[in-house]
Amino acid sequence: MSGESSEPATSRARHELGQISESDYINPSPERQAELSAEIDRYYNTPLDMFPFSEHARKPDRFYDFYEASIDERFPGDRDIRDVISRYGRAFFGSLVGYVAAKRVLLALALFCLWLMAVEGPAMVAGMGLGGLAQVAAILATMLLILPVYAGINALVFQQYRISLENRSYELSRLIVQRTRELQNLYTTLRALPDQEETRHVNAGKAWGARSAYLVRLMMWVAQRMEYLEKFIQVEMWRVRRERYWINWAGGILVVLILAAWIALLVLQTGQTIAAAPWAFRLFQGVALVLGLGLAWASYHFWKTPLNLARDKLGSEAWIRYATLDLDNTIGDQISRDKERLVEYLNLNKGR
């Protein structure tokens, strides 16, 4: 009923949209025109649910759930692009959760390495033929080496994560541009048709009235499709932003928990001693504690998902927007021209 391919969206390629056929809208068969009229009525004549929740339910639905359901009910023809937008939001969230988890695992591994060098370091370097202060220096150097290794691995993971999100953003932007441009082209064609077709109905006033009414209704409805596509994107981007906010808190809490458990283990652990430096273990503990705090701070404050990554990479400046259609003035100009012609006709026929 939407004019796109009748093939189910689930059977299409993941990132392929059905094409909007202008002829299917502008010169439809009687059956197709009846379907389109029903779709137009679905938007203009379906009342909003004033109580979008069940009185006996334990908890009302989330606002965005019933809001998106309302959009889906009124504009089923754009379900394919909305599904892609929703998948983008869920993939963004899934990638963010995975990335935050990976960062915390890397932090735990780095802290474990610090703990291992502080506690088992003397035994590990003993086989290298080093003794006395040389052992202490080797252990401290190894502990310090953990910092650049940790930073390098995190930077690499972040780079791959960010590139993946950017590629998803570029692909989504391409599909949104495709759909909005198709709708704009259809709208532009419909806007010009009433004046072009008027001469074809010189002696068929009733037929021309019906045709003109259909074209104007269709033009208004196409404009509403673009508006509600924008509203759907707005809701999905709000979800992405909100989820990022809470994941940021969750990541910070994980850092605190991992660090607290590690500090407790480090403080309570008794390490091996070095005969020539009985104080070495306390030194290793102190250095490990300072480095561990630095790693935990870096894990939270560096390599973060950019706050505006979705906004900056989606390229919305290239999208065709509802605000650019100038729907009110388009309808007003059409009515103005019709009124002028009516007055001219009445003046020409006055006195006949």
Side-chain angles (χ1 to χ4, degrees), residues 18 32 37 62 67 69 91 102 131 140 147 184 189 212-213 228 244 250 264 279 281 306 310 321 323 328-329 333 335:
R32 174 62 179 152
S37 296
R62 294 179 178 90
Y67 188 77
L140 291 176
L147 289 177
Q184 183 201 41
T189 301
S212 179
Y228 274 81
R244 186 200 179 282
W279 41 265
F281 176 64
R321 307 292 294 276
D328 55 338
N329 288 319
D333 290 343
I335 293 175

mmCIF file of all heavy atoms in Angstrom, residues 18 32 37 62 67 69 91 102 131 140 147 184 189 212-213 228 244 250 264 279 281 306 310 321 323 328-329 333 335:
data_model
loop_
_atom_site.group_PDB
_atom_site.id
_atom_site.type_symbol
_atom_site.label_atom_id
_atom_site.label_comp_id
_atom_site.label_asym_id
_atom_site.label_seq_id
_atom_site.Cartn_x
_atom_site.Cartn_y
_atom_site.Cartn_z
ATOM 1 N N GLY A 18 12.979 0.130 -0.504
ATOM 2 C CA GLY A 18 12.089 0.077 -1.648
ATOM 3 C C GLY A 18 12.034 1.428 -2.335
ATOM 4 O O GLY A 18 12.105 2.473 -1.692
ATOM 5 N N ARG A 32 -5.515 1.282 -6.648
ATOM 6 C CA ARG A 32 -4.374 1.900 -5.968
ATOM 7 C C ARG A 32 -4.746 3.256 -5.388
ATOM 8 O O ARG A 32 -4.331 3.611 -4.291
ATOM 9 C CB ARG A 32 -3.213 2.036 -6.963
ATOM 10 C CG ARG A 32 -2.014 2.805 -6.434
ATOM 11 C CD ARG A 32 -1.400 2.116 -5.247
ATOM 12 N NE ARG A 32 -0.238 2.838 -4.762
ATOM 13 C CZ ARG A 32 0.193 2.820 -3.511
ATOM 14 N NH1 ARG A 32 -0.453 2.105 -2.613
ATOM 15 N NH2 ARG A 32 1.265 3.489 -3.164
ATOM 16 N N SER A 37 -5.878 6.751 -0.797
ATOM 17 C CA SER A 37 -6.842 7.572 -0.078
ATOM 18 C C SER A 37 -7.053 7.039 1.334
ATOM 19 O O SER A 37 -7.186 7.819 2.287
ATOM 20 C CB SER A 37 -8.175 7.611 -0.834
ATOM 21 O OG SER A 37 -8.017 8.245 -2.093
ATOM 22 N N ARG A 62 6.929 3.195 27.827
ATOM 23 C CA ARG A 62 7.804 4.344 27.638
ATOM 24 C C ARG A 62 7.206 5.253 26.579
ATOM 25 O O ARG A 62 6.593 4.803 25.617
ATOM 26 C CB ARG A 62 9.196 3.895 27.206
ATOM 27 C CG ARG A 62 9.951 3.107 28.260
ATOM 28 C CD ARG A 62 11.314 2.700 27.721
ATOM 29 N NE ARG A 62 12.092 1.987 28.700
ATOM 30 C CZ ARG A 62 12.080 0.679 28.870
ATOM 31 N NH1 ARG A 62 11.295 -0.062 28.107
ATOM 32 N NH2 ARG A 62 12.830 0.092 29.785
ATOM 33 N N TYR A 67 4.890 6.509 21.006
ATOM 34 C CA TYR A 67 5.033 7.575 20.009
ATOM 35 C C TYR A 67 5.470 6.976 18.668
ATOM 36 O O TYR A 67 4.907 7.309 17.615
ATOM 37 C CB TYR A 67 6.047 8.604 20.498
ATOM 38 C CG TYR A 67 6.117 9.840 19.624
ATOM 39 C CD1 TYR A 67 5.134 10.818 19.708
ATOM 40 C CD2 TYR A 67 7.167 10.026 18.723
ATOM 41 C CE1 TYR A 67 5.194 11.947 18.907
ATOM 42 C CE2 TYR A 67 7.232 11.151 17.930
ATOM 43 C CZ TYR A 67 6.248 12.108 18.019
ATOM 44 O OH TYR A 67 6.300 13.223 17.223
ATOM 45 N N ALA A 69 5.089 3.881 17.822
ATOM 46 C CA ALA A 69 3.996 3.014 17.359
ATOM 47 C C ALA A 69 2.937 3.834 16.637
ATOM 48 O O ALA A 69 2.350 3.384 15.642
ATOM 49 C CB ALA A 69 3.381 2.271 18.541
ATOM 50 N N ALA A 91 22.368 -0.682 17.228
ATOM 51 C CA ALA A 91 23.766 -1.037 16.982
ATOM 52 C C ALA A 91 24.694 -0.058 17.695
ATOM 53 O O ALA A 91 25.743 -0.458 18.218
ATOM 54 C CB ALA A 91 24.047 -1.029 15.476
ATOM 55 N N ALA A 102 34.961 -3.607 26.991
ATOM 56 C CA ALA A 102 36.333 -3.897 26.570
ATOM 57 C C ALA A 102 37.328 -3.000 27.301
ATOM 58 O O ALA A 102 38.407 -3.453 27.721
ATOM 59 C CB ALA A 102 36.469 -3.717 25.058
ATOM 60 N N GLY A 131 70.429 -9.169 40.281
ATOM 61 C CA GLY A 131 70.417 -9.262 41.734
ATOM 62 C C GLY A 131 70.365 -7.888 42.363
ATOM 63 O O GLY A 131 70.737 -6.871 41.760
ATOM 64 N N LEU A 140 60.521 -2.111 38.399
ATOM 65 C CA LEU A 140 59.938 -0.778 38.242
ATOM 66 C C LEU A 140 59.820 -0.400 36.766
ATOM 67 O O LEU A 140 58.811 0.197 36.341
ATOM 68 C CB LEU A 140 60.784 0.252 38.992
ATOM 69 C CG LEU A 140 60.759 0.169 40.520
ATOM 70 C CD1 LEU A 140 61.717 1.189 41.125
ATOM 71 C CD2 LEU A 140 59.350 0.378 41.057
ATOM 72 N N LEU A 147 52.126 1.316 31.239
ATOM 73 C CA LEU A 147 51.368 2.517 30.880
ATOM 74 C C LEU A 147 51.297 2.742 29.363
ATOM 75 O O LEU A 147 50.191 2.846 28.812
ATOM 76 C CB LEU A 147 51.976 3.742 31.568
ATOM 77 C CG LEU A 147 51.775 3.854 33.077
ATOM 78 C CD1 LEU A 147 52.499 5.082 33.615
ATOM 79 C CD2 LEU A 147 50.288 3.949 33.408
ATOM 80 N N GLN A 184 10.875 14.356 -1.750
ATOM 81 C CA GLN A 184 10.905 15.734 -2.250
ATOM 82 C C GLN A 184 10.592 15.774 -3.747
ATOM 83 O O GLN A 184 9.841 16.651 -4.212
ATOM 84 C CB GLN A 184 12.267 16.359 -1.991
ATOM 85 C CG GLN A 184 12.339 17.822 -2.427
ATOM 86 C CD GLN A 184 13.760 18.299 -2.643
ATOM 87 O OE1 GLN A 184 14.589 17.580 -3.190
ATOM 88 N NE2 GLN A 184 14.046 19.504 -2.204
ATOM 89 N N THR A 189 6.833 17.314 -7.995
ATOM 90 C CA THR A 189 6.006 16.950 -9.148
ATOM 91 C C THR A 189 4.535 17.208 -8.857
ATOM 92 O O THR A 189 3.811 17.771 -9.699
ATOM 93 C CB THR A 189 6.210 15.471 -9.498
ATOM 94 O OG1 THR A 189 7.590 15.239 -9.784
ATOM 95 C CG2 THR A 189 5.369 15.072 -10.698
ATOM 96 N N SER A 212 -8.088 17.298 -8.820
ATOM 97 C CA SER A 212 -7.357 18.339 -8.102
ATOM 98 C C SER A 212 -7.361 18.074 -6.601
ATOM 99 O O SER A 212 -6.332 18.235 -5.923
ATOM 100 C CB SER A 212 -7.966 19.710 -8.399
ATOM 101 O OG SER A 212 -7.278 20.729 -7.691
ATOM 102 N N ALA A 213 -8.512 17.661 -6.076
ATOM 103 C CA ALA A 213 -8.605 17.364 -4.643
ATOM 104 C C ALA A 213 -7.670 16.220 -4.272
ATOM 105 O O ALA A 213 -6.988 16.268 -3.235
ATOM 106 C CB ALA A 213 -10.041 17.018 -4.278
ATOM 107 N N TYR A 228 7.097 13.367 9.689
ATOM 108 C CA TYR A 228 7.079 12.311 10.701
ATOM 109 C C TYR A 228 8.306 11.414 10.603
ATOM 110 O O TYR A 228 8.656 10.764 11.587
ATOM 111 C CB TYR A 228 5.782 11.512 10.607
ATOM 112 C CG TYR A 228 4.701 12.172 11.419
ATOM 113 C CD1 TYR A 228 3.986 13.248 10.910
ATOM 114 C CD2 TYR A 228 4.435 11.771 12.715
ATOM 115 C CE1 TYR A 228 3.029 13.891 11.661
ATOM 116 C CE2 TYR A 228 3.466 12.393 13.475
ATOM 117 C CZ TYR A 228 2.765 13.460 12.943
ATOM 118 O OH TYR A 228 1.827 14.098 13.709
ATOM 119 N N ARG A 244 23.701 6.788 26.009
ATOM 120 C CA ARG A 244 25.106 7.114 26.184
ATOM 121 C C ARG A 244 25.338 7.737 27.563
ATOM 122 O O ARG A 244 26.342 7.463 28.219
ATOM 123 C CB ARG A 244 25.568 8.075 25.099
ATOM 124 C CG ARG A 244 27.064 8.334 25.153
ATOM 125 C CD ARG A 244 27.453 9.610 24.423
ATOM 126 N NE ARG A 244 28.885 9.833 24.515
ATOM 127 C CZ ARG A 244 29.507 10.311 25.580
ATOM 128 N NH1 ARG A 244 28.815 10.598 26.680
ATOM 129 N NH2 ARG A 244 30.810 10.496 25.589
ATOM 130 N N ALA A 250 27.508 4.078 34.177
ATOM 131 C CA ALA A 250 27.803 2.670 34.452
ATOM 132 C C ALA A 250 29.290 2.387 34.305
ATOM 133 O O ALA A 250 29.888 1.652 35.110
ATOM 134 C CB ALA A 250 26.991 1.773 33.511
ATOM 135 N N ALA A 264 42.251 -3.398 47.400
ATOM 136 C CA ALA A 264 42.123 -4.291 48.551
ATOM 137 C C ALA A 264 43.041 -5.501 48.402
ATOM 138 O O ALA A 264 43.722 -5.913 49.352
ATOM 139 C CB ALA A 264 40.671 -4.738 48.692
ATOM 140 N N TRP A 279 62.928 -3.425 51.719
ATOM 141 C CA TRP A 279 61.883 -2.395 51.603
ATOM 142 C C TRP A 279 61.230 -2.370 50.203
ATOM 143 O O TRP A 279 60.320 -1.598 49.941
ATOM 144 C CB TRP A 279 62.493 -1.010 51.850
ATOM 145 C CG TRP A 279 63.842 -0.866 51.193
ATOM 146 C CD1 TRP A 279 65.042 -1.071 51.775
ATOM 147 C CD2 TRP A 279 64.101 -0.537 49.819
ATOM 148 N NE1 TRP A 279 66.074 -0.884 50.874
ATOM 149 C CE2 TRP A 279 65.511 -0.551 49.651
ATOM 150 C CE3 TRP A 279 63.313 -0.250 48.717
ATOM 151 C CZ2 TRP A 279 66.126 -0.279 48.439
ATOM 152 C CZ3 TRP A 279 63.920 0.032 47.506
ATOM 153 C CH2 TRP A 279 65.304 0.017 47.370
ATOM 154 N N PHE A 281 59.294 -4.340 48.473
ATOM 155 C CA PHE A 281 57.879 -4.670 48.259
ATOM 156 C C PHE A 281 56.979 -3.469 48.531
ATOM 157 O O PHE A 281 56.022 -3.220 47.789
ATOM 158 C CB PHE A 281 57.466 -5.853 49.140
ATOM 159 C CG PHE A 281 56.003 -6.171 49.038
ATOM 160 C CD1 PHE A 281 55.450 -6.614 47.843
ATOM 161 C CD2 PHE A 281 55.151 -6.000 50.132
ATOM 162 C CE1 PHE A 281 54.091 -6.886 47.730
ATOM 163 C CE2 PHE A 281 53.794 -6.280 50.024
ATOM 164 C CZ PHE A 281 53.265 -6.721 48.821
ATOM 165 N N PRO A 306 32.848 10.157 21.382
ATOM 166 C CA PRO A 306 32.555 11.590 21.262
ATOM 167 C C PRO A 306 31.086 11.873 21.517
ATOM 168 O O PRO A 306 30.207 11.154 21.033
ATOM 169 C CB PRO A 306 32.949 11.904 19.810
ATOM 170 C CG PRO A 306 33.983 10.875 19.478
ATOM 171 C CD PRO A 306 33.556 9.626 20.213
ATOM 172 N N ALA A 310 27.212 10.887 16.656
ATOM 173 C CA ALA A 310 26.091 10.607 15.746
ATOM 174 C C ALA A 310 25.677 11.867 15.005
ATOM 175 O O ALA A 310 25.483 11.857 13.780
ATOM 176 C CB ALA A 310 24.914 10.034 16.535
ATOM 177 N N ARG A 321 14.599 18.432 4.306
ATOM 178 C CA ARG A 321 13.820 18.598 5.529
ATOM 179 C C ARG A 321 12.409 19.089 5.216
ATOM 180 O O ARG A 321 12.160 19.785 4.231
ATOM 181 C CB ARG A 321 14.517 19.580 6.477
ATOM 182 C CG ARG A 321 15.972 19.252 6.770
ATOM 183 C CD ARG A 321 16.102 17.985 7.584
ATOM 184 N NE ARG A 321 15.546 18.164 8.912
ATOM 185 C CZ ARG A 321 16.227 18.702 9.932
ATOM 186 N NH1 ARG A 321 17.483 19.094 9.774
ATOM 187 N NH2 ARG A 321 15.656 18.839 11.115
ATOM 188 N N ALA A 323 10.821 21.374 6.641
ATOM 189 C CA ALA A 323 10.749 22.840 6.691
ATOM 190 C C ALA A 323 11.059 23.483 5.349
ATOM 191 O O ALA A 323 10.668 24.633 5.108
ATOM 192 C CB ALA A 323 11.709 23.373 7.757
ATOM 193 N N ASP A 328 2.663 25.359 3.550
ATOM 194 C CA ASP A 328 1.560 26.308 3.743
ATOM 195 C C ASP A 328 1.463 27.301 2.593
ATOM 196 O O ASP A 328 0.370 27.568 2.071
ATOM 197 C CB ASP A 328 1.721 27.043 5.078
ATOM 198 C CG ASP A 328 3.075 27.724 5.211
ATOM 199 O OD1 ASP A 328 4.024 27.323 4.511
ATOM 200 O OD2 ASP A 328 3.189 28.657 6.029
ATOM 201 N N ASN A 329 2.609 27.841 2.155
ATOM 202 C CA ASN A 329 2.576 28.803 1.049
ATOM 203 C C ASN A 329 2.267 28.122 -0.274
ATOM 204 O O ASN A 329 1.649 28.727 -1.163
ATOM 205 C CB ASN A 329 3.921 29.531 0.949
ATOM 206 C CG ASN A 329 4.109 30.521 2.087
ATOM 207 O OD1 ASN A 329 3.179 31.229 2.472
ATOM 208 N ND2 ASN A 329 5.311 30.576 2.639
ATOM 209 N N ASP A 333 -0.728 29.470 -2.348
ATOM 210 C CA ASP A 333 -0.568 29.957 -3.724
ATOM 211 C C ASP A 333 -1.530 29.263 -4.671
ATOM 212 O O ASP A 333 -2.095 29.894 -5.585
ATOM 213 C CB ASP A 333 0.873 29.723 -4.189
ATOM 214 C CG ASP A 333 1.871 30.619 -3.475
ATOM 215 O OD1 ASP A 333 1.431 31.623 -2.870
ATOM 216 O OD2 ASP A 333 3.084 30.307 -3.517
ATOM 217 N N ILE A 335 -4.502 27.970 -3.941
ATOM 218 C CA ILE A 335 -5.849 28.503 -3.705
ATOM 219 C C ILE A 335 -5.973 29.912 -4.281
ATOM 220 O O ILE A 335 -7.001 30.272 -4.876
ATOM 221 C CB ILE A 335 -6.150 28.507 -2.198
ATOM 222 C CG1 ILE A 335 -6.235 27.057 -1.685
ATOM 223 C CG2 ILE A 335 -7.436 29.252 -1.891
ATOM 224 C CD1 ILE A 335 -6.397 26.952 -0.195
#
